[in-house]
Amino acid sequence: MQIDARNLSVDDHEELVKTMKRAYPTMSDYIWPKKSIEKLTKIFPQGQICITVDGKLAAVALSIIVNYDDFGDDHTYKDITGNYSFSTHTNSGNVLYGIEVFVDPEYRELRLGRRLYDLRKELCEQLNLRAIVLGGRIPHYHKYSDELSARDYIRKVRDKEIYDPVLSFQLSNNFLPIKVLKKYLLEDESSKENAVLLQWNNIYYSKQPNTMQDSVIRLGLVQWQMRQFKDIHAFYEQVEFFVNVMGDYKADFVLFPELFNTPLLAPFNHLSERDSMIELAKLTDDIRTKISELAISYNVNIISGSMPFYDDNDLYNISYMMHRDGRIDEYRKIHITPNEKKYYGMKGGSEIKVFDTDCGKVGLVICYDVEFPELPRILADQGMKILFVPYLTDTQNAYMRVRHCAAARAIENECYVAIAGCVGNLPGVNNMDIQFGQAAVFTPSDFAFPSNAVKGEATPNTEMTLIVDVDLNLLKDLHHNGSVQILKDRRTDLYEINYK
């Protein structure tokens, strides 16, 4: 007999379904869909573990990493998994949360469950997570529910007066019962919808000073003056000036505006608008590399506004998230304005995702994107806490569209929204002659936030910086205790937004 442990893959799904049906014969509707396995193996592959016996799938354990302080001890399975979307998973979390374990009945005498739990413990230690937490079923409770409360049942199982196949096993693996969770898993009739909150503590855990555990995040916004540059080195000097200033003020993020490098179009002004933008796009790789170096040197995450990007004969409006650890994420503007289509023939991107940073999950959209509420809502469902919006607007009415929509996105998605744009005039560059801008940070509208829901704003049409602190703990409190709780009160029984 050959027993092997490995990471689960999407190719295992068909066999997983068969094994799960044998493990849960009375819960035939409780089967993991393939799209969920695809998502879990993509976002956290090492957390999805399986054991095979002679090549046959025999046992599975699924898990995610969460910032447990966002949920506390009163939660449901639906809460902890983000309505089964796993948007609650974050690499910057502090707890490994077990969302599933099952063993094929044919192999239960091999103690494969204990082996899965040992592998989870090793993973928890390797990732330096504080604990493993899970909501454990009590499948024999229905036999005693008429005479025992869930609390008394747990006590008797702990004292070995009653045997429960799940709880007894977890207690034997050094998991400590914390409390009873009511309405934890609504489909679990045998447990009477109860679960036991269980925890295993990692004694090797070491809490290191880390921004990802901090609640106050400092945002630095650049209100960028359009000006002629004699060469690209002069442009770099101006960029580094602002990054240096923000670094001195210990900013966690620096936000530059949309298409802030378009003064470099001047040498190509004899070309058509599209051809000149393609020439500018040839500089994007070098600019990206330089700004990434600045992010590392000055220890600050930089959102590089946006720049043109030429890919396979298509022109995109692209923004980069330059992490201070050297990682680079990208976002391509999805909604292209009529002006961008007419003059540059730009094409919209197709990927919507949040970025995991050392300050938590953030979102990034570009200008016109923020006027489409579906896009930030999808990001909010993925766990976004701060939305960055670099923009470029020529007139005040265009700016007001961006401003009012950004403010609305902060309220309806219970997040902070930071916007930054260009100001001034740029003679000698076609289609880039005037700009109107005012950087600002918007908040939800409740007692913990400014009465006008504006955390800070710059002087309009003046080159300057705006430095603002935002507290992520206020968002958590708003979500659970706000005067209104928009994300919770959505009627998802009537409507929903899906990312295709």
Side-chain angles (χ1 to χ4, degrees), residues 242-258:
F242 284 113
V243 175
N244 186 8
V245 168
M246 299 302 188
D248 286 344
Y249 281 92
K250 308 299 181 185
D252 295 297
F253 292 95
V254 177
L255 174 63
F256 285 93
E258 178 186 21

Side-chain angles (χ1 to χ4, degrees), residues 1-180:
M1 181 180 292
Q2 180 68 40
I3 299 176
D4 297 301
R6 60 173 172 82
N7 292 129
L8 191 72
S9 76
V10 177
D11 295 335
D12 295 315
H13 183 259
E14 184 176 344
E15 197 172 359
L16 178 148
V17 170
K18 296 177 182 177
T19 305
M20 196 171 186
K21 287 181 177 179
R22 290 192 292 270
Y24 297 121
T26 63
M27 300 174 67
S28 58
D29 294 332
Y30 181 55
I31 300 297
W32 284 89
K34 188 173 183 179
K35 65 179 182 180
S36 294
I37 301 302
E38 288 176 339
K39 178 73 175 290
L40 288 168
T41 54
K42 180 179 180 180
I43 64 174
F44 186 33
Q46 65 268 47
Q48 321 316 320
I49 306 168
C50 68
I51 294 177
T52 60
V53 178
D54 293 332
K56 182 180 178 182
L57 192 71
V60 172
L62 309 177
S63 56
I64 56 177
I65 299 174
V66 299
N67 185 356
Y68 195 71
D69 294 338
D70 290 342
F71 304 95
D73 291 340
D74 288 308
H75 60 265
T76 66
Y77 189 87
K78 187 175 181 180
D79 292 334
I80 206 74
T81 60
N83 196 21
Y84 316 113
S85 70
F86 315 114
S87 62
T88 51
H89 170 79
T90 172
N91 292 329
S92 62
N94 56 5
V95 161
L96 185 71
Y97 197 96
I99 58 176
E100 181 64 90
V101 169
F102 60 86
V103 178
D104 190 323
E106 181 181 349
Y107 302 107
R108 283 180 179 164
E109 293 183 358
L110 299 177
R111 305 179 75 181
L112 300 183
R114 181 178 294 275
R115 188 174 300 209
L116 286 173
Y117 271 59
D118 288 342
L119 290 169
R120 268 188 180 168
K121 292 173 183 177
E122 290 176 11
L123 180 63
C124 183
E125 293 172 357
Q126 290 169 5
L127 298 178
N128 191 35
L129 299 174
R130 177 171 60 82
I132 302 174
V133 176
L134 53 90
R137 299 176 60 241
I138 41 177
H140 280 190
Y141 177 57
H142 66 283
K143 300 178 181 180
Y144 303 88
S145 58
D146 290 339
E147 57 186 85
L148 293 176
S149 66
R151 179 178 179 180
D152 290 336
Y153 177 81
I154 294 168
R155 179 179 56 79
K156 288 183 175 292
V157 173
R158 184 188 60 200
D159 294 342
K160 302 187 185 307
E161 297 176 26
I162 296 175
Y163 173 78
D164 185 278
V166 175
L167 181 57
S168 298
F169 166 77
Q170 290 161 338
L171 294 175
S172 71
N173 277 277
N174 298 318
F175 276 75
L176 300 175
I178 305 300
K179 64 176 298 182
V180 177

Side-chain angles (χ1 to χ4, degrees), residues 28 57 96 154 218 241 253 269 284 365 368 372 379 488:
S28 58
L57 192 71
L96 185 71
I154 294 168
R218 179 159 293 176
F241 165 78
F253 292 95
N269 211 40
T284 294
V365 299
Y368 194 33
F372 297 83
L379 295 174
K488 281 186 175 181

Side-chain angles (χ1 to χ4, degrees), residues 201-216:
N201 293 315
N202 175 15
I203 62 172
Y204 301 109
Y205 172 69
S206 175
K207 185 175 180 180
Q208 301 294 331
N210 195 319
T211 310
M212 69 182 68
Q213 302 297 337
D214 293 342
S215 65
V216 177

